[in-house]
Amino acid sequence: MENRVAVITGASSGIGFATAKLLAARGAKVAVLARRKDVLDELVNQIRAAGGEAMALAVDVTSQASVDAAAAAVEAAYGPADLVFNNAGVMLPGAIEERQIDQWEHQIDLNVTGVMRVISAFIPQLAANAAAGATVDLINTSSIAGQNIYPYFAVYSGTKAYVSHLTRHLRAELGSKNIRVSMIEPGITETELQGHWTFQGAKDWLAGAQQSMEFLQPQDIAEVVGFLAAQPKHVNLQQVVVMPTKQAT
């Protein structure tokens, strides 16, 4: 990772936070993007205290202008990015009959359109680095929910199915240009996402799951990101499913 320029969205908590620290510890210059600038600043302080290099950018991935401005700031500070971890997302389970349209739209805008906004902003930098012979990665965070069926998670699962299938198509399109495209599909991971749940059925399921299995931790997924990025340039792991040992589906 020495001298690589890594961009991480959704970096203010969970998987993004852990991945930023791991990549910086391995030598990357890390740009951390999220809405909560105060948390990002603390993350940057931690990285720098450990001898790494990082910058914090307050970004709203539901705004193309915000993401474009961040891309320009990264390039001005560090040069063009050669690793983008497209990780921002939200999970809001609920019964479809409750017609929580605002929650549906929020998940679609963040998990689907937000992913596309980040790709749009950073693909010129990734392409330029690939053309120059660098190792280049676009890594998208999907979910096992993109493959499997879970009551009350229909909209969230649909957004993650989009991310997974998008990744397959982009790998076919961009691989010939030496841009590696990967997705990580985690099972249940202990992050802030579950703290946003309001639907009681999902809360009950979560409480039961916590009694029956040990959840993945953000550091577990960060290690996968590091593994993907460390492969030889000609090796592209397209899809990595990471599950708690006791989670069957």
Side-chain angles (χ1 to χ4, degrees):
M1 294 302 302
E2 196 71 31
N3 296 320
R4 294 193 67 178
V5 176
V7 173
I8 301 169
T9 66
S12 59
S13 67
I15 293 169
F17 193 98
T19 300
K21 295 181 76 171
L22 182 142
L23 296 183
R26 295 183 181 180
K29 297 176 181 178
V30 177
V32 291
L33 280 56
R35 289 177 298 174
R36 294 180 292 177
K37 182 64 159 53
D38 57 334
V39 180
L40 295 179
D41 287 340
E42 176 56 29
L43 171 58
V44 168
N45 289 339
Q46 291 180 27
I47 288 171
R48 290 177 176 171
E53 176 57 38
M55 64 184 295
L57 294 167
V59 174
D60 180 358
V61 300
T62 67
S63 164
Q64 189 67 58
S66 179
V67 182
D68 288 345
V74 171
E75 187 164 20
Y78 291 153
D82 56 46
L83 191 163
V84 173
F85 183 34
N86 207 356
N87 173 68
V90 65
M91 178 196 298
L92 300 171
I96 208 73
E97 296 129 306
E98 292 186 352
R99 302 181 67 235
Q100 297 285 342
I101 295 173
D102 57 337
Q103 293 190 3
W104 303 349
E105 290 177 341
H106 183 45
Q107 289 178 96
I108 292 167
D109 196 24
L110 190 58
N111 297 356
V112 173
T113 314
V115 165
M116 296 307 302
R117 292 186 184 104
V118 172
I119 293 170
S120 172
F122 284 98
I123 194 64
Q125 297 182 30
L126 297 180
N129 269 319
T135 300
V136 176
D137 289 285
L138 170 62
I139 303 172
N140 296 322
T141 299
S142 184
S143 168
I144 193 60
Q147 294 188 39
N148 294 342
I149 307 301
Y150 304 98
Y152 311 122
F153 287 81
V155 176
Y156 174 77
S157 295
T159 66
K160 290 304 184 178
Y162 175 92
V163 172
S164 292
H165 208 45
L166 169 75
T167 302
R168 296 182 187 102
H169 281 272
L170 290 182
R171 205 208 71 77
E173 179 177 342
L174 299 175
S176 62
K177 300 175 182 178
N178 283 322
I179 299 174
R180 303 191 297 198
V181 186
S182 306
M183 61 177 145
I184 303 175
E185 295 180 322
I188 187 69
T189 307
E190 190 171 321
T191 71
E192 286 187 359
L193 289 181
Q194 295 90 15
H196 302 151
W197 294 6
T198 59
F199 181 66
Q200 191 59 47
K203 288 183 175 182
D204 293 343
W205 175 87
L206 181 66
Q210 288 172 326
Q211 298 301 313
S212 65
M213 73 180 80
E214 181 178 357
F215 288 2
L216 297 172
Q217 297 299 311
Q219 181 66 25
D220 300 327
I221 310 306
E223 293 285 352
V224 177
V225 177
F227 178 77
L228 293 174
Q231 295 307 299
K233 188 167 65 172
H234 70 285
V235 177
N236 184 173
L237 278 73
Q238 173 180 281
Q239 177 179 5
V240 181
V241 178
V242 189
M243 299 286 280
T245 300
K246 290 187 176 181
Q247 183 180 357
T249 60

